[in-house]
Amino acid sequence: MNQRKRDKKKFVRQNLRIKNVGIDVLDSFVEHDIVEDKRSQKKLLEKSEVSQKSETKLRRGRVIEVLSNNRCRVEVGGQVLECAIGGRLKQINYETRSIITAGDYVHVDITNLGSTSMVQVEEILPRSNVLSRFSEGSFQTEVVLAANIDQVIITASICEPDINFNLIDRYLCRAALAGLIPIICINKMDLADDAFIADELTFYEDHGFQSILVSAETGRGMDALKSALIGKDSLFSGSSGTGKSTLINRLEPGINLRTGEVSDYNFKGMHTTTSTKLIPWSFGGHLVDSPGIKTFGLHRSAKDFIPRIFPGFDSYYIGCKFHNCTHIHEDGCAVKAAVMHDDIPQDRYESYLNIMASL
Ligand SMILES: Nc1nc2c(ncn2[C@@H]2O[C@H](COP(=O)(O)OP(=O)(O)O)[C@@H](O)[C@H]2O)c(=O)[nH]1
Ligand SMILES: [Mg+2]
Ligand SMILES: [Zn+2]
């Protein structure tokens, strides 16, 4: 490749910064016995002609990592199998959402298990959500990073670096748009008094957001954090230096985790080919490890949704005179009225204005 091409490529990659999160696919997850039946019926019909092929055994599994275009690792009944991706699923498809991704629930054909041929992924089951990042520019190309993830642990530190509630609001909006349950986790509580953040936390808790105060240093709150993680697939998000790696290592000593440095490297605009990984916790559930997801951004269209999903606004916006009220300049705005009456703190409203202005 000549220098100019290389530069161009580099330029494109650097522009592919994380700009947002896909809005969740709303259909809820269905256990697919029906699909299984139909498929095996079809196979049986085919089999009557091609009789050497033994009966198809489809099992439900979970993709924990995509290794290449035709290989992935799938958890099937407690076992991790390296599987081939079925031809039908490999087809070049411009709709990126149909490409297999970490976190996908799949049906694998285990007929070949134990033989020299590979176990094959036959089918992707419906997703409850999709996490993606988007490139910048007028066509925000979607890159799917993971599917069916439960929650995001929004990690902040009370100081070093100082807590930034505007950033927490941004993460809360992103979580809502991505269909993830957010948990606010405030670390380094050994360094300052709880009273320092009591008002803000009361506001979030009053509006249905869970918060957990922890210290990786003293162990405070670590049991509560662990309980929140059990059986769920969790993504840790938050600024660098807030203690994500320290917390994860404390929860699971010896965890085989890519270091934060890789993610931070990526955040600076460098390209990394490492894919999303679901790492099983010994206590159940998975840690979602993805350099791409860490700073998951917002799609341009998010601006239409933020007025409704901004933390605490949900109970007010329905009272606004205009259904598409942005709560900025409109008359008859119930959100602005709530700010006037101190039902929504001035700080939160300013944080909202800041996010809207940035989009
Ligand atoms: N005082 C204090 N320092 C902590 C705590 N947790 C992590 N740190 C320190 O904060 C720094 C950043 O932690 P790290 O886990 O690398 O943050 P990350 O960038 O979010 O992964 C390290 O020097 C940690 O030792 C804590 O609970 N209390
Ligand atoms: Mg780290
Ligand atoms: Zn309004």
Side-chain angles (χ1 to χ4, degrees), residues 67-328:
L67 303 168
S68 71
N69 281 344
N70 43 29
R71 290 277 183 281
C72 63
R73 281 151 46 82
V74 182
E75 230 176 44
V76 189
Q79 240 187 314
V80 176
L81 305 174
E82 190 170 324
C83 298
I85 297 169
R88 201 169 50 83
L89 299 178
K90 266 190 314 205
Q91 281 167 16
I92 295 179
N93 197 321
Y94 292 99
E95 210 229 307
T96 59
R97 286 186 169 236
S98 59
I99 293 171
I100 198 163
T101 188
D104 266 329
Y105 288 100
V106 291
H107 276 148
V108 292
D109 178 353
I110 57 158
T111 316
N112 289 335
L113 190 60
S115 76
T116 47
S117 318
M118 281 203 114
V119 168
Q120 184 155 305
V121 178
E122 292 286 331
E123 183 155 38
I124 304 173
L125 299 176
R127 295 164 174 164
S128 58
N129 64 17
V130 164
L131 290 182
S132 28
R133 63 187 165 85
F134 289 77
S135 60
E136 282 181 5
S138 39
F139 295 98
Q140 292 189 297
T141 317
E142 182 177 27
V143 180
V144 173
L145 300 168
N148 307 311
I149 304 306
D150 297 303
Q151 57 189 16
V152 55
I153 312 301
I154 301 171
T155 314
S157 51
I158 190 149
C159 49
E160 297 175 20
D162 279 348
I163 192 159
N164 174 345
F165 286 103
N166 177 247
L167 200 56
I168 291 179
D169 290 334
R170 280 173 193 267
Y171 278 116
L172 289 171
C173 290
R174 289 167 192 178
L177 288 169
L180 296 176
I181 293 170
I183 295 174
I184 302 166
C185 174
I186 302 176
N187 187 29
K188 308 198 189 181
M189 289 307 298
D190 54 292
L191 298 179
D193 200 85
D194 295 16
F196 192 60
I197 48 170
D199 287 350
E200 284 88 353
L201 290 189
T202 305
F203 172 80
Y204 292 120
E205 299 229 320
D206 284 351
H207 289 92
F209 298 102
Q210 187 186 356
S211 66
I212 305 175
L213 303 183
V214 301
S215 166
E217 187 85 14
T218 65
R220 174 180 174 184
M222 294 305 286
D223 287 342
L225 177 57
K226 194 173 187 172
S227 312
L229 299 172
I230 294 175
K232 300 274 170 49
D233 303 321
S234 312
L235 169 68
F236 278 72
S237 265
S239 308
S240 98
T242 54
K244 296 177 296 298
S245 305
T246 314
L247 287 168
I248 291 163
N249 284 324
R250 181 140 188 155
L251 288 159
E252 191 80 79
I255 192 165
N256 179 23
L257 181 67
R258 269 191 293 253
T259 57
E261 285 65 42
V262 176
S263 314
D264 297 342
Y265 194 63
N266 189 55
F267 180 49
K268 283 172 197 144
M270 307 299 282
H271 187 69
T272 144
T273 54
T274 37
S275 59
T276 304
K277 255 195 227 176
L278 265 60
I279 302 171
W281 296 111
S282 59
F283 45 84
H286 298 91
L287 167 67
V288 182
D289 179 26
S290 166
I293 288 178
K294 192 190 145 214
T295 49
F296 65 125
L298 292 169
H299 190 264
R300 225 175 262 126
S301 67
K303 200 164 183 169
D304 302 336
F305 296 95
I306 305 263
R308 278 175 279 166
I309 54 131
F310 188 84
F313 285 12
D314 51 340
S315 42
Y316 297 103
Y317 81 86
I318 36 165
C320 294
K321 188 168 150 192
F322 303 102
H323 79 281
N324 57 351
C325 186
T326 62
H327 325 310
I328 298 173

